Amino acid sequence: MNKRGQAKEGAPLYRQVCEYLLNRIERGEWKAHDKLPSIRALADELQVHRLTVFKACRELADSGKVYVRDKSGYYVSPDHPQEAKADSGKKKIAADYSHMNALSDIHRLPARYQFSQALIDPNLLPNLYLSDYVKKVFDLYPKVMGTYSSAQGDEELRLMLSRHFREKLRLQLAPEELVITSGSQQAINLIIGTFLGPMDAVLVERPTYSVALDLFRRAGVRVIPIEITAEGYDLDRLEHVMQRDKPRLFYLNPTHQNPTGATVPAWQRKRIVELAERYRCLLVEDDPFRDMYFGEAPPPPFFAYDTEGWVIYISSFSKYIAPGLRICAVACREPHVERLIVAKSLADSGTSLLNQKIFLHYYTSSRLQQHVGKLRIALQVHKEIVEEELAGSGWEWTPPQGGLNLWVKVPQAVSVDALFRRAREESISFVPGHICDPLGEMQAWLRLSYSFASEEVLREGTRRLVQLARELDGSCSHT
Amino acid sequence: MNKRGQAKEGAPLYRQVCEYLLNRIERGEWKAHDKLPSIRALADELQVHRLTVFKACRELADSGKVYVRDKSGYYVSPDHPQEAKADSGKKKIAADYSHMNALSDIHRLPARYQFSQALIDPNLLPNLYLSDYVKKVFDLYPKVMGTYSSAQGDEELRLMLSRHFREKLRLQLAPEELVITSGSQQAINLIIGTFLGPMDAVLVERPTYSVALDLFRRAGVRVIPIEITAEGYDLDRLEHVMQRDKPRLFYLNPTHQNPTGATVPAWQRKRIVELAERYRCLLVEDDPFRDMYFGEAPPPPFFAYDTEGWVIYISSFSKYIAPGLRICAVACREPHVERLIVAKSLADSGTSLLNQKIFLHYYTSSRLQQHVGKLRIALQVHKEIVEEELAGSGWEWTPPQGGLNLWVKVPQAVSVDALFRRAREESISFVPGHICDPLGEMQAWLRLSYSFASEEVLREGTRRLVQLARELDGSCSHT
């Protein structure tokens, strides 16, 4: 992880060359002990600087994929796995999490005490109601299954959402300024594909949503961390970085942040929008937890302070209504909207119309508000159960004002990696903190999601987890 | 178009630099008449060869984005559109089709005579039946809306599909070797993201599915055309190109091909799989029209001849069942499956479970086979209507044995571009051939989709189109 982490601030180009060479090795074009073409030949072929190829070869040598012989060149290492068809048919699930999509790997491990999924317990969702709305949708739109949505998204849905945003959040939004995507993750992907190139600098919160981090890394951008705490960001540092690195965008999740639960105060929101304008940095505001507050409603989104079109607002309320629907709305101004529509049309030519219509009809119902109110209470109870069990354990956290996660620091003597392995054995899952850290550090932290497990499972699992940490702590101090 | 076309066989790197510079100009970092940093400074900043930067600047100068002054450097052109907020809120629809997603742009233009959409007329789809199956799904899985599918896709669906592929196409497939995506376009996107880097060579048919072409171009790969005719491919040329260019993959649509309607014969399928194996080239077989045959059923897919795991099979039957569901299955062997699952989990973390379950229950019903049988007849009738209207017009085509399109050559004196503009005025839409050509040529061709319009609209529209071409032909010969 650390090794990977280093690359992120470096040049992406040599890594592309690495990938290219590795691909050819994996395809068996060069077999074990074959000599690679000369640096000069490769540089000519790929039309890159020789130093770039050199750097790529060094990297491959460092990782053991190739070796150097008598200074005569680079040779393919014998132990490099060929495109083996070993165990074909049987799915191998990696037992560790040093993977391209770390979080997804963790989720694929079954767990009795599921604290790694920042999802709502399906039992808390309005399943019965929803099935009614589906039937209604078929009566209203008998041909819904035979019809594609436009790439931008169903017009009726966008009209409803623009009204909703105006009434609830005082956002002035035309239906033309909304794009419907299949979940917020797709939205982030489309934004990356549309606005970022491999040489761009991107700011992300530290810690942040690990899936977004994976997506940015995969895009080959330079990821620059901005610390987030219960007080928000250090604005001087933020301005300094914006000035120095000219980031193309800042990906932020400023309301009940994942994983910290922090909410950026209103005064900072206003100021950051000004900074974004001055330094021409897009603010990509991911806002899936806004309605899941425990006390007061959070401040308005960054988007509300933006008059110049620098904020792209990702609003993915379907998480706490019907995650299965995968409906997300992206709000932004021209010329960004038009570019996102093109990206969406290329990605999948439009989200399923059925899902959009179901969402539309449920979202406009009075049942929805009742459901959201109940869900807030349920989540707060869940959060308090975990806090009760952690009290007196030596674990530290800042109580979140909303959201689905507790971001916890374990006592110094406990290794989170060791705890993760032990917890896996006991069928307890959580997210190790370093996965959420753009620098791959934060080794003492972990994320506990309290939204998915039932109350009893939550209590029992947290108790067990604390006990496991105690045992590890004890064994450490004795060795 | 031609201008763009030239770049595709060249180096992608300088184009990345172009993009990067253009981005900064568009963001207003450099304004009109500002001097760009020196070639040396940019090369250092981006860690690329100076020649690459030079080439990028030349390209920008050629396209008028920057200008050269007294050999002292490059300056931003005054007429370059700044990040203007002009007409914000109002959606501008480009009247031409020289766009990133050419086909999508055409589809956004409303048309009374809709011959550009290769989609089934919604009236031919089993809308009523489907609504029954949806209700069944809710009874069977009351929590379907609250549940995410796994990234790979619903297990029950994959199990059913693996049985189906075994029984209908004799493909030996485990459920673990299938990945469910939201439509075939997403499948192509995931495959590009997983297996291709910006420096790779990719083979595509000429002509081909223009959306795939857009996706490959966007990925910055080198696109190499392979001619397809009613007889299939020229295998000597194919082998030569595989040997010379070492393509990473060949994207093909060998059954009732879009746009030509051609079907590659069985003997070629077998042989091409052998070539793919020898030259380590993935075959990406897109197969959405297999069941839409008019005479005999087509030969088995390439996938059936593959024993070494070089074929990735994209099967998107939802097109003629319920396009609105957006369900597509990708079949491939290890280690490709595992990599595609990661890509899917990053793209959107899984296709909507509801849609998968509806598809599952409808697909296993006896009603489906009845529907498909009827649809085949309807499509054949549609095709024949167009052929009747074109007979004696001087237009040329090879009658397709299946699929949704007629690939037509207009008489020499007619310009397809001029015809397109005239047709638009009469609310007739079709796809100009050059959009489907990786070389941007094929100026005398066009694609007429006969699947979407009703019989009367089809007859009337084709008649009008032929008449328009006659008028253009006449006006040409007189000037």
Side-chain angles (χ1 to χ4, degrees):
Chain A
M1 203 72 191
N2 262 339
K3 186 118 203 143
R4 287 222 149 201
Q6 281 167 22
K8 90 207 153 303
E9 293 245 11
L13 189 57
Y14 84 92
R15 277 198 288 152
Q16 286 183 27
V17 176
C18 271
E19 278 294 310
Y20 175 79
L21 295 174
L22 267 181
N23 264 339
R24 292 186 65 174
I25 293 171
E26 274 165 13
R27 290 158 73 184
E29 279 184 46
W30 301 313
K31 301 207 187 337
H33 305 300
D34 276 1
K35 191 182 174 183
L36 297 193
S38 70
I39 300 275
R40 174 196 291 252
L42 286 169
D44 280 357
E45 182 182 337
L46 302 175
Q47 302 197 34
V48 296
H49 197 285
R50 283 182 212 166
L51 272 177
T52 308
V53 178
F54 178 74
K55 208 167 160 189
C57 290
R58 287 302 324 156
E59 174 83 6
L60 292 181
D62 286 350
S63 61
K65 308 291 185 192
V66 304
Y67 63 94
V68 191
R69 188 197 291 166
D70 305 333
K71 298 191 178 164
S72 78
Y74 292 90
Y75 294 79
V76 177
S77 297
D79 53 346
H80 190 79
Q82 299 292 322
E83 192 134 48
K85 303 202 303 137
D87 310 303
S88 82
K90 262 273 160 269
K91 194 167 68 180
K92 284 164 291 172
I93 294 179
D96 66 324
Y97 43 83
S98 57
H99 205 285
M100 220 27 222
N101 184 349
L103 201 58
S104 162
D105 278 4
I106 292 178
H107 293 337
R108 281 164 72 182
L109 305 168
R112 193 178 323 136
Y113 305 98
Q114 178 48 268
F115 307 151
S116 64
Q117 301 255 30
L119 280 179
I120 309 283
D121 174 2
N123 293 309
L124 296 177
L125 292 169
N127 301 295
L128 263 182
Y129 295 163
L130 272 167
S131 124
D132 288 352
Y133 287 96
V134 174
K135 287 165 191 163
K136 188 172 157 197
V137 162
F138 272 90
D139 293 340
L140 283 169
Y141 317 93
K143 289 182 191 167
V144 64
M145 292 292 223
T147 316
Y148 278 151
S149 161
S150 76
Q152 180 166 15
D154 179 51
E155 196 167 355
E156 196 185 6
L157 174 60
R158 287 184 288 110
L159 199 66
M160 179 281 278
L161 286 174
S162 71
R163 257 201 316 267
H164 162 79
F165 284 129
R166 189 164 52 241
E167 285 160 17
K168 275 208 74 173
L169 298 173
R170 298 203 188 140
L171 306 182
Q172 289 306 321
L173 256 179
E176 291 79 19
E177 293 170 311
L178 287 165
V179 182
I180 307 298
T181 67
S182 304
S184 63
Q185 200 172 316
Q186 184 179 54
I188 299 170
N189 248 316
L190 297 178
I191 290 166
I192 289 176
T194 304
F195 299 104
L196 295 180
M199 291 160 184
D200 283 322
V202 168
L203 310 186
V204 301
E205 292 158 338
R206 177 182 191 229
T208 186
Y209 174 42
S210 71
V211 174
L213 200 53
D214 288 337
L215 294 174
F216 285 120
R217 282 182 179 144
R218 205 173 135 110
V221 299
R222 285 179 294 143
V223 171
I224 299 166
I226 300 293
E227 308 279 334
I228 182 165
T229 65
E231 282 74 46
Y233 317 106
D234 175 342
L235 293 198
D236 290 337
R237 149 108 181 137
L238 179 60
E239 175 156 16
H240 171 70
V241 173
M242 281 190 172
Q243 203 163 19
R244 186 191 63 190
D245 294 305
K246 298 187 180 57
R248 181 71 177 118
L249 68 79
F250 181 7
Y251 169 76
L252 27 79
N253 173 208
T255 308
H256 314 313
Q257 200 245 9
N258 177 2
T260 62
T263 291
V264 175
W267 71 270
Q268 284 207 350
R269 293 175 184 235
K270 192 158 180 284
R271 182 90 183 82
I272 291 166
V273 169
E274 289 163 12
L275 289 178
E277 213 175 289
R278 181 171 327 142
Y279 296 102
R280 303 188 152 266
C281 173
L282 287 172
L283 300 176
V284 176
E285 180 178 18
D286 197 356
D287 202 16
F289 309 116
R290 163 162 298 274
D291 290 336
M292 294 300 106
Y293 54 87
F294 303 144
E296 275 179 43
F302 280 65
F303 193 83
Y305 298 97
D306 176 35
T307 54
E308 302 289 316
W310 289 99
V311 181
I312 299 180
Y313 185 59
I314 305 176
S315 190
S316 50
F317 14 56
S318 81
K319 195 158 213 149
Y320 52 84
I321 298 171
L325 282 182
R326 321 283 297 119
I327 294 293
C328 167
V330 183
C332 58
R333 312 293 184 185
E334 288 289 5
H336 306 318
V337 196
E338 199 63 16
R339 294 182 66 188
L340 279 180
I341 297 170
V342 172
K344 172 69 177 166
S345 83
L346 285 168
D348 62 11
S349 78
T351 292
S352 163
L353 189 60
L354 173 67
N355 304 46
Q356 296 187 61
K357 291 294 193 190
I358 299 173
F359 181 82
L360 165 73
H361 285 276
Y362 182 57
Y363 202 73
T364 48
S365 72
S366 59
R367 278 169 173 171
L368 176 81
Q369 283 313 316
Q370 289 172 24
H371 161 66
V372 171
K374 279 189 208 156
L375 190 57
R376 268 186 214 123
I377 296 168
L379 282 177
Q380 185 159 10
V381 170
H382 278 219
K383 183 202 71 150
E384 283 164 5
I385 287 173
V386 178
E387 289 184 317
E388 277 165 36
E389 292 302 322
L390 292 183
S393 66
W395 298 33
E396 296 165 37
W397 70 95
T398 307
Q401 300 307 305
L404 316 180
N405 306 298
L406 217 57
W407 180 244
V408 190
K409 190 175 184 183
V410 298
Q412 216 181 352
V414 177
S415 147
V416 167
D417 276 339
L419 182 61
F420 182 80
R421 282 190 297 270
R422 274 295 288 127
R424 290 299 324 153
E425 289 164 17
E426 305 285 324
S427 204
I428 305 173
S429 93
F430 60 81
V431 176
H434 66 79
I435 287 182
C436 309
D437 180 5
L439 301 179
E441 300 170 1
M442 300 194 130
Q443 304 283 355
W445 295 83
L446 56 87
R447 189 189 83 174
L448 287 180
S449 299
Y450 46 76
S451 52
F452 193 76
S454 69
E455 295 182 20
E456 309 84 82
V457 171
L458 207 51
R459 188 176 297 282
E460 178 64 23
T462 310
R463 194 171 292 167
R464 283 169 183 246
L465 189 61
V466 169
Q467 184 52 37
L468 289 180
R470 276 215 187 91
E471 288 164 22
L472 285 171
D473 196 346
S475 69
C476 285
S477 19
H478 287 100
T479 50
Chain B
M1 203 74 191
N2 262 339
K3 187 120 205 144
R4 288 221 150 201
Q6 281 166 20
K8 91 206 153 299
E9 294 244 11
L13 189 57
Y14 84 92
R15 278 198 288 153
Q16 286 182 27
V17 176
C18 272
E19 279 294 309
Y20 175 78
L21 295 174
L22 268 180
N23 264 337
R24 292 186 64 174
I25 293 172
E26 275 165 13
R27 290 159 74 186
E29 279 184 46
W30 303 312
K31 304 208 187 330
H33 306 298
D34 275 3
K35 191 181 174 183
L36 297 193
S38 70
I39 301 276
R40 174 196 291 250
L42 286 169
D44 280 357
E45 181 181 337
L46 302 175
Q47 301 197 34
V48 297
H49 197 283
R50 284 183 211 164
L51 273 177
T52 308
V53 178
F54 177 75
K55 209 167 160 189
C57 289
R58 287 301 325 157
E59 173 84 6
L60 292 181
D62 286 350
S63 62
K65 308 291 185 193
V66 303
Y67 64 93
V68 190
R69 187 196 291 166
D70 305 333
K71 299 194 175 161
S72 77
Y74 292 90
Y75 294 79
V76 177
S77 297
D79 53 346
H80 190 77
Q82 300 291 322
E83 192 133 49
K85 302 204 301 140
D87 311 304
S88 82
K90 264 271 159 267
K91 194 167 69 181
K92 284 163 293 174
I93 293 178
D96 66 324
Y97 42 84
S98 59
H99 205 283
M100 221 24 224
N101 184 348
L103 201 58
S104 164
D105 278 4
I106 291 178
H107 293 337
R108 281 164 73 183
L109 305 168
R112 193 179 321 137
Y113 304 98
Q114 177 49 268
F115 307 151
S116 64
Q117 300 256 30
L119 281 179
I120 310 283
D121 174 2
N123 293 309
L124 296 177
L125 292 170
N127 302 295
L128 263 182
Y129 295 164
L130 272 168
S131 128
D132 288 352
Y133 286 97
V134 173
K135 287 165 192 163
K136 188 172 157 198
V137 162
F138 272 90
D139 293 341
L140 283 169
Y141 317 94
K143 290 182 191 167
V144 64
M145 292 291 222
T147 317
Y148 280 152
S149 161
S150 75
Q152 180 165 15
D154 179 52
E155 195 167 354
E156 197 186 5
L157 174 60
R158 288 185 286 111
L159 199 67
M160 179 281 278
L161 286 174
S162 71
R163 257 201 316 267
H164 163 79
F165 284 129
R166 189 164 54 241
E167 285 160 17
K168 274 208 73 174
L169 299 174
R170 298 203 188 139
L171 306 182
Q172 290 304 321
L173 257 180
E176 292 78 19
E177 293 170 310
L178 286 166
V179 183
I180 306 298
T181 66
S182 303
S184 62
Q185 200 171 317
Q186 184 180 53
I188 299 169
N189 248 315
L190 297 178
I191 289 166
I192 289 176
T194 304
F195 300 105
L196 295 181
M199 292 161 184
D200 283 322
V202 167
L203 309 186
V204 301
E205 292 159 338
R206 178 184 189 225
T208 187
Y209 175 42
S210 71
V211 174
L213 200 53
D214 289 337
L215 294 173
F216 286 120
R217 282 184 178 142
R218 203 172 136 112
V221 300
R222 284 179 295 144
V223 171
I224 299 167
I226 300 293
E227 308 279 335
I228 182 165
T229 65
E231 283 74 48
Y233 316 106
D234 174 344
L235 293 197
D236 290 337
R237 150 107 181 136
L238 179 60
E239 175 157 15
H240 170 71
V241 172
M242 280 190 172
Q243 203 163 21
R244 185 191 64 191
D245 295 305
K246 298 186 180 56
R248 181 72 178 118
L249 68 79
F250 182 6
Y251 168 77
L252 27 78
N253 172 207
T255 308
H256 314 314
Q257 200 245 8
N258 176 1
T260 63
T263 291
V264 176
W267 71 270
Q268 284 207 350
R269 292 175 186 236
K270 191 157 180 284
R271 183 92 182 79
I272 290 165
V273 170
E274 288 163 11
L275 289 179
E277 213 174 289
R278 181 172 327 142
Y279 296 102
R280 302 189 153 266
C281 173
L282 287 172
L283 300 176
V284 176
E285 180 178 18
D286 197 356
D287 201 15
F289 310 116
R290 164 161 298 276
D291 289 337
M292 295 299 106
Y293 54 87
F294 303 144
E296 274 179 44
F302 280 64
F303 193 83
Y305 299 97
D306 176 35
T307 54
E308 302 289 317
W310 289 100
V311 181
I312 299 180
Y313 184 60
I314 305 176
S315 191
S316 50
F317 14 56
S318 81
K319 194 158 213 149
Y320 52 83
I321 298 172
L325 283 180
R326 321 281 299 121
I327 294 295
C328 167
V330 183
C332 58
R333 311 296 184 185
E334 287 290 6
H336 307 319
V337 196
E338 199 63 16
R339 295 182 65 188
L340 279 180
I341 298 170
V342 172
K344 174 68 178 168
S345 82
L346 285 168
D348 61 12
S349 79
T351 292
S352 163
L353 189 60
L354 173 67
N355 305 45
Q356 295 187 62
K357 291 294 193 191
I358 298 173
F359 181 82
L360 166 73
H361 285 277
Y362 182 59
Y363 202 74
T364 48
S365 72
S366 59
R367 277 170 174 171
L368 177 81
Q369 282 314 314
Q370 288 171 23
H371 161 65
V372 171
K374 280 188 208 157
L375 190 56
R376 269 186 214 121
I377 297 168
L379 282 177
Q380 186 159 8
V381 170
H382 277 217
K383 183 202 72 151
E384 284 163 5
I385 287 172
V386 178
E387 289 184 316
E388 278 164 35
E389 291 301 323
L390 291 183
S393 67
W395 297 34
E396 296 165 37
W397 70 96
T398 306
Q401 300 307 304
L404 316 180
N405 306 298
L406 217 57
W407 179 243
V408 190
K409 191 175 184 184
V410 298
Q412 214 180 354
V414 177
S415 146
V416 167
D417 275 340
L419 182 61
F420 182 80
R421 282 190 298 270
R422 273 295 287 127
R424 291 296 326 150
E425 289 164 17
E426 307 283 326
S427 204
I428 304 172
S429 94
F430 60 80
V431 175
H434 67 79
I435 286 182
C436 308
D437 180 5
L439 300 179
E441 300 170 1
M442 300 194 131
Q443 304 283 354
W445 295 84
L446 55 88
R447 188 189 82 174
L448 287 180
S449 299
Y450 47 75
S451 52
F452 192 77
S454 69
E455 296 183 19
E456 308 85 82
V457 171
L458 206 51
R459 187 176 297 282
E460 178 63 23
T462 310
R463 194 171 291 166
R464 282 169 184 246
L465 189 61
V466 169
Q467 184 51 37
L468 289 179
R470 276 214 188 92
E471 287 163 23
L472 285 171
D473 195 347
S475 69
C476 285
S477 17
H478 287 100
T479 49

